[in-house]
Amino acid sequence: MRDALARREISSVYRLLRRHGVSQRQIAALTGQSQSEVSEILKGRQVMAYDVLTRIAMGLGVPRGYMGLAYDEATAVRVAATADSPNSEEDESVKRRKFLAHAAAVTVGAAVLGTDSGSWVSNPTQTPAPGRIGMTDVRQVEAATRALRALDYQYGGGSCRDAVVAQLSWGQQMLGANATDLVRERLFVALADLHNLAGWTSFDTGLMDSARNHFGQALDLAKQGRNEALVANILYRMGRVYLHQDAPDDALKVFQLGQLAAQNSGSELAVGILCANEAWAYAKMGSDDQAIKLLGRARDEFARANVGEAPAWAKFFTEIDLSSMIGTVHTELAQTVDVKYTRTAIPALSKAVNGFGEDMTRNRSFNLTSLSINHLIEGDVDHGAKVGRQAVDLSEGLKSIRTKDRMKPLLREADKRRNNPDARELADRLAKFTGSDTAA
């Protein structure tokens, strides 16, 4: 049960309750749902909305931490603005358009897309603030953000999201305090980056509305702090959310806005990162010419970049990360355009897997997954299955729903080759790990 709660697999939670004699009617009464809703969830419908997850936790008497939810309702409303969101049932494509309009307004200073973007961006009521803050207080926020980001990289967003949200609850109180202009500007940037991390960890644990709210607030604060490099980073991360949701058109638009901010920041490295991600969006759309062209520009920008002068957020992007992106884009092209792209993907991904250290467990998992896909597509099924098993081994210790989702294309490829015993074993293991069905 603890495992199912940690993964937010509510269908598994309900099935376990039924197995131990709790009726559908009792579950519905406890959680405030209709019996038909409970029935749909038992059949496999995913529960993603923050407010519904919160209601289920409260109704079943489950400590919120078991599900990676905020500590209490006040924190959820004040920091993430998701518990009582009036538009939680709004269509995802509408939410994406609103975020894009908000991002455009922040980036270029005008709501160029003509849609209302303000209704979903929270304006939390502030709790009483300290009387006065100095640079030491801001450095504490920055240090906490660095430490929590390291946990996210190594163990997944579920390992630290609660702590990030709690840190935000404390950090935002500073906005009402007296401070010099220099301290206040740096505070805006520090809190923007903490919201940025809250958005990323929310995304990694499947809380999409919460992710969008945090990224929206991060954009506003980064702009107030006059930090174009951070604006670029926030938009890069939101674009990745849309890639994950198989919305490459929207992802591309967000990346292009991020590209404007990156260019304004004067950082070739930041520009290169956005180019690489734009290439990924084009690859998902099957536009191989554009994808290859943008990868070439990403290489050029990386070669010209002065890492020492790059913004802090972009310094993570090394030659290993560039190889990872090249491999990822070519993996996408191998699936959407032509198997020939495996020839570039395999060596690039192998370099990335060997280059990422143990502190980058999630990245190694992603690259092993893509590497396995390429070997299967190329026909080297035995080796592909072996690499796939390594990916699952590495991922089992991560608290990351995103890692599971990234494995679903691998499951499909392994499932196509069930006549091979190694591929069949991998498909069955992946189905169990991701909670998906196989064709068997």
Side-chain angles (χ1 to χ4, degrees):
M1 180 64 87
R2 284 289 297 273
D3 184 58
L5 289 166
R7 300 174 192 278
R8 294 200 188 89
E9 293 172 353
I10 305 303
S11 58
S12 298
V13 172
Y14 285 5
R15 281 195 291 269
L16 283 166
L17 291 173
R18 292 286 294 113
R19 192 180 304 164
H20 288 273
V22 182
S23 69
Q24 286 191 37
R25 179 177 295 178
Q26 287 173 300
I27 294 172
L30 287 167
T31 61
Q33 296 172 295
S34 67
Q35 286 192 57
S36 62
E37 284 180 291
V38 173
S39 177
E40 287 176 13
I41 292 169
L42 280 163
K43 291 174 183 175
R45 195 191 86 186
Q46 281 189 297
V47 178
M48 304 297 287
Y50 184 96
D51 55 333
V52 178
L53 289 165
T54 301
R55 196 165 68 240
I56 290 169
M58 290 178 65
L60 299 180
V62 173
R64 295 181 182 207
Y66 287 9
M67 296 170 70
L69 302 174
Y71 292 117
D72 53 52
E73 199 74 12
T75 301
V77 175
R78 184 171 63 250
V79 180
T82 51
D84 293 315
S85 175
N87 54 358
S88 59
E89 298 303 317
E90 198 168 46
D91 185 74
E92 182 62 29
S93 63
V94 175
K95 294 175 184 177
R96 284 200 295 268
R97 285 197 297 273
K98 286 187 175 182
F99 182 90
L100 188 58
H102 181 68
V106 171
T107 307
V108 301
V112 295
L113 301 181
T115 56
D116 172 31
S117 63
S119 61
W120 56 268
V121 179
S122 66
N123 294 295
T125 302
Q126 298 301 323
T127 52
R132 185 169 186 82
I133 59 168
M135 202 61 82
T136 301
D137 299 293
V138 180
R139 289 195 196 101
Q140 288 177 9
V141 177
E142 294 168 344
T145 304
R146 285 194 299 272
L148 290 165
R149 183 167 277 130
L151 285 174
D152 168 63
Y153 278 138
Q154 188 163 5
Y155 301 111
S159 69
C160 60
R161 182 183 177 275
D162 269 6
V164 175
V165 170
Q167 187 70 27
L168 261 176
S169 181
W170 172 77
Q172 289 212 166
Q173 296 180 53
M174 295 186 191
L175 288 172
N178 292 321
T180 65
D181 290 344
L182 185 63
V183 168
R184 186 166 301 283
E185 186 170 300
R186 186 156 162 181
L187 176 63
F188 286 143
V189 174
L191 290 178
D193 198 29
L194 190 54
H195 269 294
N196 192 23
L197 179 58
W200 194 245
T201 55
S202 296
F203 164 45
D204 201 46
T205 49
L207 297 174
M208 296 303 180
D209 283 347
S210 180
R212 192 177 357 251
N213 280 313
H214 283 301
F215 285 133
Q217 293 187 76
L219 278 177
D220 290 338
L221 287 163
K223 200 68 174 180
Q224 284 180 275
R226 297 186 293 183
N227 193 312
E228 291 287 343
L230 186 53
V231 169
N233 177 237
I234 295 160
L235 291 170
Y236 142 74
R237 291 181 184 276
M238 195 64 211
R240 290 290 282 266
V241 172
Y242 292 161
L243 281 184
H244 186 80
Q245 293 179 321
D246 286 324
D249 286 347
D250 289 329
L252 182 61
K253 292 169 188 172
V254 175
F255 289 143
Q256 287 168 340
L257 286 172
Q259 186 69 264
L260 292 175
Q263 290 168 0
N264 289 339
S265 77
S267 168
E268 292 91 350
L269 188 57
V271 170
I273 293 170
L274 268 299
C275 285
N277 282 274
E278 288 173 61
W280 192 355
Y282 277 118
K284 274 189 170 289
M285 292 187 281
S287 302
D288 52 343
D289 289 343
Q290 287 283 4
I292 299 301
K293 178 182 175 182
L294 277 157
L295 273 184
R297 187 181 171 196
R299 285 192 186 95
D300 293 343
E301 296 288 350
F302 182 79
R304 294 192 303 118
N306 183 335
V307 177
E309 296 178 359
W313 78 265
K315 290 181 180 179
F316 81 91
F317 197 82
T318 65
E319 187 178 347
I320 299 302
D321 295 275
L322 181 60
S323 289
S324 174
M325 286 301 300
I326 291 169
T328 299
V329 170
H330 281 81
T331 300
E332 205 70 56
L333 292 173
Q335 294 172 91
T336 59
V337 180
D338 195 314
V339 67
K340 70 180 182 181
Y341 288 107
T342 61
R343 294 197 292 270
T344 302
I346 288 173
L349 291 166
S350 298
K351 179 178 179 180
V353 168
N354 293 329
F356 283 127
E358 292 187 1
D359 58 336
M360 301 292 283
T361 307
R362 186 174 53 204
N363 281 23
R364 290 182 66 223
S365 165
F366 289 159
N367 282 270
L368 282 167
T369 299
S370 295
L371 187 58
S372 176
I373 289 171
N374 280 281
H375 283 300
L376 292 178
I377 291 174
E378 204 174 48
D380 190 358
V381 179
D382 293 345
H383 188 64
K386 178 183 176 182
V387 175
R389 289 193 297 271
Q390 292 173 356
V392 180
D393 288 343
L394 201 61
S395 301
E396 285 176 335
L398 290 171
K399 298 183 185 298
S400 169
I401 289 176
R402 187 161 53 111
T403 304
K404 290 182 177 183
D405 290 341
R406 287 281 286 270
M407 286 187 168
K408 288 177 181 177
L410 175 57
L411 170 58
R412 290 194 292 271
E413 293 298 333
D415 215 29
K416 294 176 187 175
R417 298 161 176 82
R418 294 187 70 85
N419 59 325
N420 179 292
D422 288 333
R424 183 166 60 250
E425 180 190 350
L426 176 61
D428 290 342
R429 187 175 176 193
L430 283 166
K432 182 178 179 181
F433 179 64
T434 61
S436 305
D437 294 326
T438 70

